[in-house]
Amino acid sequence: MYKFFFQLVFKRMDPERAHYLAFRWIRLAARVPVLRTFLAAALAPRYTSLRTEALGLRMHGPFGLAAGFDKNAVAIDGMAMLGFDHVEIGTVTGEAQPGNPKKRLFRLVADRALINRMGFNNEGSAAVAARLAARTPVFRTTVGVNIGKTKVVPEADAAADYVKSTERLAAHADYLVVNVSSPNTPGLRNLQATESLRPLLTAVREAADRTVTHRRVPLLVKIAPDLADEDVDAVADLAVELGLDGIIATNTTIAREGLDLKSPAALVKETGGLSGAPLKERSLEVLSRLHRRVGDRITLVGVGGVENAEDAWQRILAGATLVQGYSAFIYEGPFYARAIHKGLAARLAASPYATLADAVGAESRKAVK
């Protein structure tokens, strides 16, 4: 039904306009008590076998919504209603910014992919912090907060900008993510170099600890799939050295070569980050490499090309305790999370593993042996 509706309506509509229209429907549905209860029962059934502990947090399952969909923390309950076990909001910047000029979001339907150059359009950390502070949750879910650099802030002052967001948002975050891997903010990816990343992460960690004294806010970093293997290793080593809680692998890619893209050439040539199915292989490679490097010392989150339960299962076997999706949600619709949960529960039941935690990194451990 959704796929027919997508072909009939959403496919013909500007992608950003379609996003906000669907977003509005989700938010409205979550405000109607009887409707949201019915939808949650249909779309978010709970499987006790999938219960997950990660980052010191207990979750209904391992599958969450990646950052980028709910930039301003306005639809957390709506996304929980649709079955996502955790919702990562943002990317939020120190100051409000409109993002890049439109048109800035493109669907590559033949490739089940998206290209975006949104540019961290958001209301800013002060406004988002106020919204999170005023929020009365309808559904219990884990809320991650993804922070990035304000575009007009010079690279040399990036740490101060991240600290500003941390001081405003850490108290409202179940976990905090430092995003240094979007290709749509000039100079941002330069911060992935360990000589820049070390002081940045140290400053954010100190700010979070200074701001929130009654608990430790887990801190993660999100990296790009375009890093060379040796740079992936360097980030992994740095994360362990600094006592980071996790790494999210991966963000979007600027690569187009070797991805066997089937969409029109004009679309493929659009600048921005590519997400969706073509990213699947490289994201899995980066995740596997990270797990071989860090083992169980930090939590890994697998994202990029997760279209179905098999993709999510492969991420878990490769070392991901948590898995996220976004682009496939656009193509699969409201039953996306439900299908992944059902498929994961079936795969776990048919596997030699007693729990989901036992399955995490199983393939990576075999490779080491």
Side-chain angles (χ1 to χ4, degrees):
M1 180 68 179
Y2 172 80
K3 291 182 179 180
F4 173 76
F5 185 77
F6 177 88
Q7 292 290 333
L8 188 66
V9 179
F10 282 167
K11 187 177 177 181
R12 303 169 186 270
M13 193 180 295
D14 173 76
E16 190 169 350
R17 184 181 169 212
H19 170 85
Y20 286 117
L21 179 61
F23 202 49
R24 186 168 182 229
W25 290 344
I26 293 167
R27 292 170 61 190
L28 289 173
R31 292 175 184 166
V32 181
V34 175
L35 179 58
R36 72 188 178 211
T37 300
F38 171 79
L39 288 174
L43 301 175
R46 303 303 184 191
Y47 295 86
T48 57
S49 62
L50 297 183
R51 287 176 182 167
T52 299
E53 289 193 19
L55 306 171
L57 306 166
R58 293 182 178 180
M59 307 182 200
H60 292 298
F63 187 62
L65 180 70
F69 193 88
D70 186 2
K71 296 178 183 297
N72 295 304
V74 296
I76 295 169
D77 284 315
M79 305 319 296
M81 176 188 72
L82 295 182
F84 291 98
D85 301 313
H86 64 274
V87 177
E88 191 172 307
I89 63 108
T91 296
V92 184
T93 53
E95 302 300 331
Q97 56 185 29
N100 292 323
K102 298 178 181 179
K103 189 173 180 181
R104 55 192 182 182
L105 180 63
F106 307 88
R107 290 193 212 96
L108 281 65
V109 179
D111 296 294
R112 295 178 62 80
L114 301 172
I115 291 175
N116 92 82
R117 52 172 179 263
M118 303 298 288
F120 289 167
N121 55 309
N122 74 103
E123 295 174 9
S125 57
V128 173
R131 182 171 295 119
L132 288 171
R135 176 176 174 257
T136 302
V138 173
F139 299 104
R140 186 178 73 83
T141 193
T142 296
V143 179
V145 177
N146 184 301
I147 58 174
K149 185 181 80 67
T150 305
K151 184 175 182 179
V152 297
V153 170
E155 192 176 322
D157 298 328
D161 193 53
Y162 279 92
V163 165
K164 178 192 297 183
S165 294
T166 301
E167 291 173 341
R168 291 171 173 170
L169 292 163
H172 312 295
D174 290 318
Y175 68 86
L176 198 64
V177 181
V178 170
N179 185 351
V180 287
S181 51
S182 169
N184 300 316
T185 295
L188 185 72
R189 286 191 168 192
N190 296 339
L191 299 176
Q192 291 179 113
T194 54
E195 60 270 20
S196 299
L197 192 56
R198 179 180 282 103
L200 172 59
L201 293 174
T202 300
V204 171
R205 177 74 273 164
E206 290 174 351
D209 291 343
R210 186 172 61 247
T211 304
V212 186
T213 57
H214 64 284
R215 65 182 174 97
R216 186 179 190 278
V217 181
L219 179 63
L220 299 84
V221 64
K222 188 169 186 176
I223 65 172
D226 306 314
L227 286 176
D229 287 346
E230 56 270 24
D231 293 326
V232 172
D233 293 343
V235 171
D237 294 343
L238 179 63
V240 172
E241 174 195 331
L242 296 180
L244 225 61
D245 297 276
I247 301 175
I248 301 181
T250 63
N251 211 320
T252 59
T253 181
I254 57 173
R256 301 292 186 269
E257 299 79 13
L259 295 178
D260 193 27
L261 298 173
K262 306 174 185 65
S263 298
L267 271 180
V268 172
K269 289 178 182 177
E270 292 288 352
T271 60
L274 174 74
S275 62
L279 193 54
K280 188 177 305 186
E281 184 177 339
R282 177 57 182 166
S283 290
L284 185 57
E285 287 175 357
V286 172
L287 175 66
S288 298
R289 188 175 189 92
L290 285 169
H291 190 264
R292 290 194 298 272
R293 196 80 174 185
V294 304
D296 300 326
R297 289 176 289 178
I298 61 176
T299 298
L300 299 179
V301 183
V303 59
V306 179
E307 297 189 277
N308 50 47
E310 180 60 23
D311 293 333
W313 181 241
Q314 291 303 317
R315 295 305 191 283
I316 290 167
L317 294 177
T321 301
L322 299 176
V323 182
Q324 295 179 339
Y326 175 178
S327 298
F329 177 51
I330 307 302
Y331 293 106
E332 294 297 319
F335 286 90
Y336 174 49
R338 175 192 168 103
I340 286 184
H341 284 114
K342 182 178 180 181
L344 278 178
R347 281 163 175 76
L348 178 60
S351 78
Y353 311 111
T355 68
L356 208 56
D358 292 337
V360 173
E363 290 300 319
S364 178
R365 288 191 292 272
K366 286 180 185 176
V368 170
K369 290 178 182 178

